[in-house]
Amino acid sequence: MQTRLLAATAWAATLAATLASLPAQAATPARPPNAEHGWVTSTLRHMSLEQKVGQLFATYVYGGDAVDPSATDRAANVAAFGVETPAEVIERYHLGGVCYFSWSHNLDSPRQIATLSNGLQRAAHGDGSKGRVPLLISTDQEQGAVVRMPSPAAQFPGSMALGAGRSARDARTAAEVTGRELRAVGIRQPYAPIADVNVNPGNPVIGVRSFGADPTLVADLTAAQVTGFQDRAGVTAAAKHFPGHGDTATDSHTGLPVINHSRAEWDRIDAPPFKRAIRAGVDTIMTAHIVVPALDPSGDPATLSPTILTGVLRGELGFRGVIVTDALNMAGVRAKYGDERVPVLALKAGADQLLMPPNLALARDAVLRAVATGELTERRIDESVRRILGVKYRQGLARSPLVDVEKAVRTVGAPEHLAAVTRVTDPTLTAVRNDAGVLPLPHADRSVLITGWDSAAFAPVATVAAGFTARGARATARPATLPSDTTIAATASQAAEHDLTVVLVNKAWDTAVTDPRATQQRLVAALLGTGKPVIVVAVRDPYDIAYLPGVTTYLATYSYTRAAMDALVRALHGELSPSGRLPVTIPTAEGAGSVLYPYGHGLSW
């Protein structure tokens, strides 16, 4: 144990020295302000209206190569955009940005991603001739529950875990390392950090994506991540989702949430993280498809509200950066107006960058038509294009839009980055209940069943089982994600033959969407019925304990990354003292203000 502690200390010292020796990749190059102004003005002057309108849009493209995608991706591009290749999509629509996803086959390996980015930049920027503008490439690399970059990229545990760790330094480090890896492959705009304050335990869309339920904590860590992304890693942070998505029971992907905070409650709960992000110099703020009657009684979602975007965000909070919409293919923004009206209304409200309209051609043509009819002026278009071009200039894209592919391969998953993952993850583990005194476990020759929720990408059940095996146990891995009745019975029967069971749960509380048959709750009950010791681990929302009666040993990891599972195994065996504290309150299953575990609760040994 002492050897491991010394090794961990050495890793941390190596990482600190390495990061300190690296130059800060500032988002703003060391140039006088008039250089940016000159480039933006000159570029804008040489752009046609069609090119300007194209700059307002960021969307996905299908394929892992800009000019030679697979036959399947060619067909998908034709269906969505009328052309076959990602490069042709860029050229036809004069796109200002592209957002990478796994489902659109953009993210396979560091070499492939960097090569794709270069190909797309060549299609957009070409030789830098008049009207040709580099892309702002983005992705949702929040870490934790929302991860886009594949292995070997550094996988941090996510926002709520960082909230449990209570360290602004660690939050900054997570953003810095994440940002450096993204920049290396040509991604300059991570849609992060999450500035939402998750005060609703039943929130189906934010949850562990938030740093927690305390506005001050969320504000501190949001500002720290803005600094990590922009000042240290040199990528453009995007604080989201304004004016605050933390108190909703509706997912804006599938419906239109209403936030019933009073203006005083919004000022106290939702506003502070965005104010801190603005003071930290955040380049981009993403809107939310939510209705906030206290800010705008019209019933329009914030994305389409001049009162909220221009009045509150720009007027009251003084934000001068780029306002990017959340995806325009989400139900929350499509519920009241048709797809043809939404992009025009978003621009009229004050948005600059229009993300992922469901029909790009329809959206583009609607904006052009609005300018032709006078509903929008070209001057208004120019205002948004200037902001977008300013970000691109400060990113250095005007001078050097391409990345070094070999350097990208060396950077993503570098040893010092993986060491940072361990150092940041370890203090986030939260021990919530140890009533039976089972923990810490001695190293012993015992039979252990590891079961419950699993992920193909991270294999947490197998990771935990391997950790027990390495410590002398006879461990059996039996994944049981949303198990059938037959699987529940068979798993309980197997548990009865073992000395100990460790069961992983993921949003077991959510029997409306995630687990409508309450299979995880029934699995845990069946395991407890064996009379053998059971350790329950929440690998996402910490709220599950309220819905698992009879559980006496319970820990929260907030994520299921390999680093989180490794920290779990070490804590279970007493090699790591749990130091995380709940960044939210865990209410009882009955709710109504009753508290099961308070904010700040956490055990140690």
Side-chain angles (χ1 to χ4, degrees):
M1 178 175 171
Q2 184 65 29
T3 301
R4 293 189 185 92
L5 290 173
L6 290 172
T9 302
W11 269 114
T14 300
L15 171 71
T18 301
L19 291 181
S21 68
L22 293 172
Q25 300 175 2
T28 304
R31 300 260 183 131
N34 63 339
E36 175 186 331
H37 175 77
W39 180 82
V40 169
T41 300
S42 175
T43 302
L44 191 64
R45 184 184 304 123
H46 292 103
M47 295 175 73
S48 67
L49 177 61
E50 288 77 10
Q51 288 172 321
K52 292 177 184 178
V53 170
Q55 283 298 299
L56 306 178
F57 288 96
T59 193
Y60 54 89
V61 291
Y62 290 98
D65 187 272
V67 297
D68 188 25
S70 69
T72 300
D73 289 326
R74 285 178 182 272
N77 283 322
V78 170
F81 308 112
V83 292
E84 290 190 341
T85 70
E88 291 172 313
V89 178
I90 304 302
E91 293 163 354
R92 169 173 283 197
Y93 295 96
H94 308 293
L95 281 181
V98 167
C99 188
Y100 286 170
F101 293 95
S102 297
W103 53 259
S104 54
H105 307 144
N106 307 138
L107 301 165
D108 179 64
S109 68
R111 182 179 300 280
Q112 172 270 318
I113 300 168
T115 302
L116 173 63
S117 296
N118 284 346
L120 294 179
Q121 292 291 9
R122 290 187 182 99
H125 192 243
D127 59 1
S129 58
K130 294 178 180 179
R132 302 293 295 276
V133 182
L135 289 167
L136 189 59
I137 299 175
S138 60
T139 198
D140 290 296
Q141 186 71 357
E142 298 174 12
Q143 298 286 15
V146 179
V147 174
R148 304 294 186 229
M149 285 283 284
S151 179
Q155 305 288 2
F156 288 91
S159 296
M160 192 169 284
L162 294 172
R166 298 293 201 279
S167 170
R169 181 195 64 184
D170 286 352
R172 184 170 55 249
T173 295
E176 177 183 349
V177 170
T178 300
R180 286 183 182 274
E181 295 197 345
L182 292 174
R183 184 180 176 103
V185 297
I187 299 171
R188 302 295 186 95
Q189 187 181 39
Y191 290 135
I194 299 288
D196 303 313
V197 182
N198 199 75
V199 293
N200 187 339
N203 194 321
V205 65
I206 302 300
V208 292
R209 297 169 64 196
S210 165
F211 291 113
D214 177 64
T216 300
L217 175 67
V218 176
D220 288 345
L221 300 190
T222 296
Q225 291 220 308
V226 169
T227 300
F229 280 127
Q230 295 190 175
D231 297 344
R232 293 298 303 170
V235 295
T236 294
K240 60 185 185 183
H241 308 79
F242 189 83
H245 211 315
D247 190 7
T248 173
T250 302
D251 185 343
S252 53
H253 291 84
T254 58
L256 180 57
V258 177
I259 307 293
N260 287 312
H261 287 180
S262 67
R263 177 58 199 249
E265 288 173 324
W266 182 82
D267 286 332
R268 177 174 57 84
I269 298 171
D270 302 292
F274 292 101
K275 290 180 177 178
R276 285 290 303 282
I278 292 169
R279 288 207 302 271
V282 69
D283 280 334
T284 309
I285 289 180
M286 179 180 283
T287 69
H289 305 326
I290 58 175
V291 173
V292 187
L295 299 182
D296 180 359
S298 72
D300 285 344
T303 298
L304 308 181
S305 169
T307 303
I308 292 176
L309 298 191
T310 300
V312 178
L313 182 53
R314 293 219 188 273
E316 294 183 28
L317 273 58
F319 180 59
R320 297 293 178 262
V322 171
I323 298 176
V324 57
T325 70
D326 206 343
L328 297 182
N329 59 7
M330 294 166 59
V333 77
R334 303 172 72 187
K336 190 173 180 181
Y337 303 98
D339 292 337
E340 192 171 9
R341 292 296 298 155
V342 166
V344 175
L345 294 175
L347 291 170
K348 292 177 71 174
D352 301 304
Q353 192 178 43
L354 306 172
L355 179 62
M356 292 171 56
N359 185 323
L360 179 59
L362 179 72
R364 185 267 320 265
D365 292 347
V367 174
L368 288 170
R369 190 161 46 250
V371 175
T373 62
E375 184 178 7
L376 286 169
T377 66
E378 190 163 355
R379 181 177 179 179
R380 169 67 190 88
I381 301 299
D382 288 354
E383 289 175 1
S384 288
V385 176
R386 279 186 175 276
R387 293 188 186 104
I388 294 166
L389 292 178
V391 168
K392 292 181 178 184
Y393 181 86
R394 294 192 297 275
Q395 282 292 316
L397 290 169
R399 301 188 314 280
S400 181
L402 305 184
V403 297
D404 182 329
V405 174
E406 297 305 323
K407 182 178 179 182
V409 173
R410 295 192 302 271
T411 299
V412 177
E416 64 269 22
H417 292 176
L418 301 184
V421 170
T422 297
R423 182 175 66 80
V424 169
T425 301
D426 282 356
T428 68
L429 179 73
T430 307
V432 177
R433 178 177 287 179
N434 190 27
D435 293 356
V438 170
L439 302 176
L441 300 168
H443 290 221
D445 178 16
R446 65 164 66 83
S447 62
V448 182
L449 176 66
I450 316 296
T451 188
W453 189 89
D454 202 41
S455 156
F458 291 96
V461 169
T463 300
V464 174
F468 270 86
T469 298
R471 288 160 177 79
R474 289 169 281 114
T476 300
R478 185 189 177 105
T481 302
L482 306 184
S484 65
D485 291 346
T486 300
T487 299
I488 290 173
T491 304
S493 177
Q494 191 171 5
E497 300 174 357
H498 286 72
D499 300 319
L500 172 70
T501 296
V502 178
V503 56
L504 311 183
V505 292
N506 183 324
K507 294 187 75 172
W509 65 268
D510 182 11
T511 55
V513 177
T514 303
D515 190 359
R517 296 189 301 112
T519 59
Q520 296 182 89
Q521 296 180 28
R522 292 191 289 117
L523 173 63
V524 171
L527 295 173
L528 292 173
T530 65
K532 297 295 184 69
V534 176
I535 298 171
V536 180
V537 183
V539 296
R540 186 161 169 159
D541 298 3
Y543 309 112
D544 289 346
I545 182 63
Y547 299 82
L548 303 173
V551 170
T552 58
T553 310
Y554 181 83
L555 300 94
T557 62
Y558 312 97
S559 71
Y560 41 86
T561 64
R562 293 187 185 279
M565 295 301 95
D566 178 66
L568 168 68
V569 171
R570 286 185 285 124
L572 293 179
H573 289 88
E575 301 162 21
L576 171 68
S577 179
S579 57
R581 291 175 289 153
L582 287 175
V584 294
T585 295
I586 299 179
T588 63
E590 294 76 21
S594 55
V595 175
L596 183 62
Y597 289 101
Y599 176 94
H601 171 80
L603 306 176
S604 189
W605 47 77

